[in-house]
Amino acid sequence: QVQLVESGGGLVQPGGSLRLSCAASGSTLDYYYIGWFRQFPGKEREGVSCTRKTGGIMYYADSVKGRFTISRDNAKNTVYLQMNNLKPEDTAVYYCASRKWGTGCSPSPDDMDYWGKGTLVTVSS
């Protein structure tokens, strides 16, 4: 069974930065692909970015390109999401999710196999 634990959320002013972490445990083949999603109040979860174990960034949502960077430290089984130049419209609960080897990254939440519990990011002055 895969466990994903997010951390690093909090309150930040517009223009500020945060780094989210997603620590994974369990079978490494079950979290070969790890993505970040976010959910706005009353909305469906949307894909933000995704990376695979061997490196490579599979996608960024248009709304975060140039501001967010995903990275992965396999020695620590951790995926990061560096978020710069944050805007109030980035306020959401951020989740990491994994998908098994042999599948692929997907921006669709329905395609992901395992989920963390989420961490709240609030961008406000």
Side-chain angles (χ1 to χ4, degrees), residues 2-7 20-25 30-31 33-39 45-51 59 70-72 77-81 93-99 106 109 112-120:
V2 172
Q3 283 195 320
L4 302 171
V5 180
E6 304 97 335
S7 61
L20 305 182
S21 299
C22 172
S25 61
D30 285 340
Y31 54 88
Y33 300 93
I34 292 183
W36 285 98
F37 292 75
R38 62 185 180 183
Q39 187 167 22
R45 291 181 191 181
E46 63 176 39
V48 175
S49 186
C50 185
T51 183
Y59 72 84
I70 192 170
S71 61
R72 185 166 184 157
N77 294 326
T78 301
V79 172
Y80 304 97
L81 186 68
V93 178
Y94 284 73
Y95 299 87
C96 64
S98 71
R99 208 173 179 206
S106 171
M112 306 307 285
D113 298 314
Y114 300 98
W115 289 87
K117 294 183 178 181
T119 185
L120 177 62

Side-chain angles (χ1 to χ4, degrees), residues 7-82:
S7 61
L11 173 64
V12 63
Q13 292 186 340
S17 298
L18 281 176
R19 189 177 78 158
L20 305 182
S21 299
C22 172
S25 61
S27 170
T28 56
L29 289 179
D30 285 340
Y31 54 88
Y32 193 86
Y33 300 93
I34 292 183
W36 285 98
F37 292 75
R38 62 185 180 183
Q39 187 167 22
F40 305 111
K43 301 288 187 180
E44 296 290 322
R45 291 181 191 181
E46 63 176 39
V48 175
S49 186
C50 185
T51 183
R52 62 187 177 194
K53 183 176 175 64
T54 53
I57 298 160
M58 301 292 99
Y59 72 84
Y60 284 109
D62 288 342
S63 57
V64 306
K65 284 180 182 176
R67 300 189 298 123
F68 291 11
T69 302
I70 192 170
S71 61
R72 185 166 184 157
D73 185 338
N74 289 327
K76 296 181 179 179
N77 294 326
T78 301
V79 172
Y80 304 97
L81 186 68
Q82 178 67 43

